[in-house]
Structure formats: C-alpha cells, structure tokens
Amino acid sequence: MKKFINDPDDVVREALAGMAAAHPELRVDLDEQIIVRADAPRRGKVGLVSGGGSGHEPLHGGFVGLGMLDAACPGEIFTSPVPDQILAATRAVDGGAGVVHIVKNYTGDVMNFELAAEDAETTVESVLVDDDVAVDGSTWTAGRRGTGATLLVEKIAGALAEEGAPLAAVAAVARDVNERSASFAIALTSGTTPAAGKPGFDLPEDEIEVGVGIHGEPGRAREKLRPARDLAARIVEPILAAKPLEPGSQVIVLVNGLGGTPLLELYVMFNDISRLLADAGVRVVRSLVGNYVTSLDMAGISLTVCRVDDELLRLWDAPVRTPGLRWGA
C-alpha cells in the first residue's frame, strides 16, 4: 500500500484539519467531527445535514456551503457517523425552521440518523436516498443503496432551502429528486482502505465488477473487460430499464469517477453515454463529469441520470459555493 498518510488511525481527523486550513469559510469542529457553514445557523432557514463514512470525498464535507449543505458529519472510513455527531451537526444549523437529514440507504446510516432525529430539539425531516438500481438488497443495505443521486438531492434541496422555503417543501423536493434518479456503477479495480492495507476485493486484470457499490460491495456480476462504448451501454441499459424515460425527457447526467479513474477516461465514457441517451430520445440538458462520490482509490465509474422539469433545472442552476461544487455565486 502506498498512500499519503501518517497513521491509518488518524487519517480522518488529519484530513478534517487540512480541510479547516484550506477552507476558512467553513467551521470544522475536530472534537465533534463535523463540518459546518461559517454563517450557520441562519435564522428562519431550513438546515440541511448529511453524512456518512469517509472515503467518498468530496461527498459530503466538500458540499457544505452556500446553496448546498449546512453541515456534514463524516464517520470513519466506510463507517457511519455516530448519533452524537449527527445531533451536534443538527444543533449547529438549527435556525428555527427545522432541519432536513439527507440519508443514504445503508443500515448504519439510517439507524444513527434516526437516533439523532429522536433526540433533536427541532423538527427533523429525514429523506432517504436509494438510487442505485444495480441491486434491490444486499448484506450492506435493505433495498437499493444510496449513491450518486445524493449529490443531486443535496444541490437541489439546498438551493430551495437557500431561498427560504419551508421545511415540508425542502424535504418534498429532495424526495422528488431521489425518486426521479437512477444510478449504476462499474469497477475496474478495488479501493484500498488505510487500515486494511490491501484491496477490498480481488479482481482479475481482464474482469470488471458490474453494479459495484461505493464501499466495494458486489454488484450483479463479474464480466470481461470490454471497450468503453460497450461498458457505456452496460451502464445505460439497466438505468433506462429501472426508470424508463419518454422521448423528449430532460435529464441531468452525472458521470462520476470512483476515485482512481482519470478525467480523460470519464469524458470518453460521457461521449458514449450521451450518444446512447440521444439515440433513446433523451435530452441531456445539464451534465457533471468528475470525481464527486468516490470510493477511495477505486478505478471505476458510476452514472446517475435524473429526469428534471423546469423548476428542478432552475434549482440546479442556482448559485452554489462549496469546496467541491461551485458556480454562479
């Protein structure tokens, strides 16, 4: 294992300290292990809190700021944040209008966010993200996993909250975005956690993991490596099967690297994916290409497709200023 670390036990805390040094516009509490907007809480604004295991950066801490999250609570690598973390983040952003918890569908995340919501002194609406159509259930989660659509939910709900919308409306738009989204991933290699010091699973040089999860969970099958155009079809087909799109549908497309895939290859895949969607009569009206929801150093790609209307597109285009995503501000 070759990594830029000092001690595997200190990776998350030292990364948070680095984030605090790099982004003074954020408040990073190393004791509570939370990242908060510097201007939080804002009186009358619905607060948005999300979190999950570290190793998926920039998700979630990199999406704290204007137009997205008010706070994030990173757990240890691939480990859910504890209820006390989530409660501290909730209190830090409570401006009196309630708080939305955006929760990826993993057993530990769901349980710990529920426990924190029960102890919160404010009204909490929990929104479950379960966009991964590769599986309907596994040893890691009950039902579909939460993956790339988390970014879209946080961006669009965050924009509406920034406008001063009430709690019910912010939670409703977050659930709507999740329902309109579908994701699917393929891995070329496993990621390596610092504590383990070796890849999470073995994958022969000529094979790929189809339908992989963002923690390296197995997907639908192992198949032979093929040209990018064939892999693009392998990703697009299950998404359109799970969430059929009428010709003329408008979509936001996220072509997301899982941490170890060069941007050059992501654009090759976007070229093939966009062509396939155009052939199906689907209009790609906004796109995002890069590493946003990662799995440490895993070489792989995930595709998220979200059907949008004019209002959701307006909220997507609204100003955002975070370490991991920024435009219009």
Side-chain angles (χ1 to χ4, degrees):
M1 179 180 73
K2 293 180 180 179
K3 290 185 179 293
F4 293 104
I5 62 174
N6 294 308
D7 187 315
D9 293 336
D10 298 331
V11 169
V12 174
R13 180 172 292 273
E14 291 183 354
L16 287 174
M19 193 167 193
H23 299 287
E25 71 275 16
L26 303 177
R27 299 198 320 261
V28 180
D29 187 326
L30 295 178
D31 293 325
E32 298 287 1
Q33 205 160 299
I34 59 175
I35 303 162
V36 185
R37 280 176 62 163
D39 61 351
R42 288 178 53 197
R43 174 56 52 184
K45 179 189 178 299
V46 172
L48 263 67
V49 175
S50 193
S54 295
H56 305 304
E57 289 74 19
L59 190 80
H60 294 273
F63 299 141
V64 174
L66 174 76
M68 285 192 81
L69 297 176
D70 293 280
C73 29
E76 295 302 314
I77 292 178
F78 292 174
T79 302
S80 301
V82 298
D84 285 349
Q85 269 181 281
I86 302 164
L87 185 59
T90 302
R91 288 170 173 163
V93 305
D94 178 18
V99 174
V100 173
H101 285 173
I102 298 173
V103 187
K104 301 190 303 301
N105 189 31
Y106 299 94
T107 302
D109 289 18
V110 171
M111 179 179 66
N112 289 347
F113 270 91
E114 284 179 354
L115 290 171
E118 289 172 3
D119 291 337
E121 297 85 2
T122 189
T123 303
V124 174
E125 284 270 6
S126 292
V127 175
L128 192 68
V129 181
D130 58 352
D131 55 304
D132 185 357
V133 300
V135 292
D136 287 323
S138 72
T139 56
W140 288 74
T141 181
R144 290 176 172 170
R145 304 174 293 218
T147 57
T150 312
L151 182 156
L152 280 71
V153 170
E154 292 174 356
K155 171 62 186 79
I156 291 174
L160 190 61
E162 203 71 51
E163 295 177 354
L167 179 65
V170 175
V173 79
R175 294 187 180 107
D176 187 31
V177 172
N178 176 66
E179 181 60 31
R180 290 167 172 263
S181 300
S183 299
F184 197 92
I186 288 177
L188 307 181
T189 69
S190 171
T192 299
T193 63
K198 59 182 181 180
F201 58 86
D202 294 321
L203 199 56
E205 287 294 319
D206 63 341
E207 291 187 2
I208 59 175
E209 186 76 40
V210 177
V212 71
I214 57 172
H215 309 95
E217 310 97 309
R220 292 186 174 186
R222 285 194 174 180
E223 300 177 5
K224 293 298 182 180
L225 180 63
R226 305 188 291 284
R229 66 179 68 88
D230 298 330
L231 298 182
R234 189 69 179 89
I235 293 176
V236 169
E237 288 165 3
I239 286 178
L240 295 184
K243 297 283 178 79
L245 294 169
E246 296 291 332
S249 295
Q250 298 185 124
V251 297
I252 297 171
V253 168
L254 167 62
V255 170
N256 173 67
L258 295 177
T261 304
L263 195 57
L264 181 75
E265 295 175 26
L266 296 180
Y267 277 114
V268 170
M269 288 294 288
F270 182 82
N271 181 53
D272 289 322
I273 288 167
S274 61
R275 175 180 50 79
L276 290 166
L277 291 173
D279 290 346
V282 176
R283 295 178 56 216
V284 178
V285 292
R286 298 292 185 274
S287 59
L288 199 58
V289 180
N291 290 283
Y292 295 99
V293 182
T294 62
S295 183
L296 292 171
D297 54 348
M298 179 184 289
I301 182 175
S302 69
L303 169 65
T304 301
V305 177
C306 177
R307 178 176 55 84
V308 294
D309 55 23
D310 290 342
E311 174 63 5
L312 294 180
L313 197 58
R314 182 187 73 81
L315 293 170
W316 177 259
D317 288 340
V320 59
R321 188 169 65 245
T322 71
L325 206 66
R326 55 179 62 207
W327 58 69

